[in-house]
Amino acid sequence: MISWFKYYSHFKLHAQTKIMSEGTGGKTVAELAALVGGRVLGDGAVLINRVAALADAGAGAIAFVEERRLLPDALGSRAACLLVPVGAREETSAAVAAIADVADGPVLIEVARPKLAFALIAELLHPPKRHAAGVHPTAVVAASAQIEADVYIGAHACIGERAQVGAGTQVHAGVIVGDDVRIGRECVLRPHVVLYDGVELGARVVLHAGCVVGADGFGYVRDEAGYHKFPQIGSVVIEDDVELGAHTCVDRGALGTTRIGRGTKLDNLVQVAHNVQIGARVVIAAQTGISGSTLIEDDAVIGGQVGFGDHARVEAGAVIGSKAGVLPGKIVRAGTVQWGVPVRPLAEYKRLNAHFGRLPQMRAELDELRRRVAELAALVETKAD
């Protein structure tokens, strides 16, 4: 560890505005194919310097095609290179295949998963921008804080007592890091992130603007006079390679720890309540609210605007569709796909949804049946008289 003021003494007034990019002048198609384990069909020496959507691709750009049926049209694009499924070219007609052989046609890279290959190439060609290391003159860094090498601390950021900031981390403008916080290597804290006291981040964690980690959980006990706050004295642990979207909030545990597992990704405006446990490689879309002590196991997928009651459990690999409602204590079984309010297996939800769509018709049919029954009843009474 080295003292923060060693950075300060070498900091230039405008260093915070200097942006560094790890980008290169581009890579050849052959180099990109080697990166993603693909096979080149065409000139492997073509230089690629950017990724692009298929409709916008031009010279120097690489795009991808996942569906084989779209390949004939894609081959006529202006992209320099296309990522295509393995065997896609052989499945096209001879006329279409000939398009790829003309001098100005796109070079092809066959890969098992074109979209994944595209993402890996994008990481190489478009690395995140980084500020030059240093501490802005307006930042406030406690004397007891430990700041490792190559850290950037932006304007008006505050680093609390005994806080630890790992090597290569970027702390942007207005970030608040509380006392005894531990931040791992190569993290990125976007503007106005707030880390309350005692929070722990692993390596390569990305927190987007306005994230709040470690605020008190929503816990109260009521008596005749009103509400009394239940202790919120736990902490939050966010493991390696987690990314949280803008204005997402993760509350500290009441008496234990709120935890987000390695590689998990949360969208904007997600609320994670106290003592929630989220496993590894989970993805959760925007505006989802997760009540206290809920457990979400590894590899689950949660859609947007899902509401969780407390102590719910989502087993490994389960998928929950958007706007679903998970009742308190509900268990969503491993590997299932579930939807609706209350949440239920997708096939059942679809059947019920089909019935809901027919309710007006069913109401009309029921009214007609009632009318006929009334007529029959009247006829029976008339004959009885």
Side-chain angles (χ1 to χ4, degrees), residues 163-208:
Q164 301 175 22
V165 182
T169 286
Q170 301 261 297
V171 180
H172 288 205
V175 170
I176 306 297
V177 176
D179 297 343
D180 301 302
V181 168
R182 290 190 291 173
I183 301 172
R185 298 171 59 89
E186 301 293 335
C187 293
V188 179
L189 278 56
R190 299 293 183 186
H192 302 292
V193 165
V194 177
L195 304 181
Y196 279 63
D197 294 351
V199 165
E200 181 178 342
L201 306 185
R204 299 172 301 280
V205 172
V206 177
L207 304 182
H208 287 277

Side-chain angles (χ1 to χ4, degrees), residues 24 103 125 174 345:
T24 66
L125 297 180

Side-chain angles (χ1 to χ4, degrees), residues 180-255:
D180 301 302
V181 168
R182 290 190 291 173
I183 301 172
R185 298 171 59 89
E186 301 293 335
C187 293
V188 179
L189 278 56
R190 299 293 183 186
H192 302 292
V193 165
V194 177
L195 304 181
Y196 279 63
D197 294 351
V199 165
E200 181 178 342
L201 306 185
R204 299 172 301 280
V205 172
V206 177
L207 304 182
H208 287 277
C211 276
V212 178
V213 179
D216 286 357
F218 190 68
Y220 297 88
V221 182
R222 184 168 184 171
D223 66 8
E224 296 78 7
Y227 288 98
H228 301 270
K229 193 177 187 73
F230 191 82
Q232 304 295 315
I233 56 176
S235 188
V236 178
V237 174
I238 296 180
E239 297 181 0
D240 297 347
D241 300 304
V242 169
E243 184 165 0
L244 305 184
H247 296 284
T248 283
C249 296
V250 182
D251 293 345
R252 67 175 58 250
L255 301 175

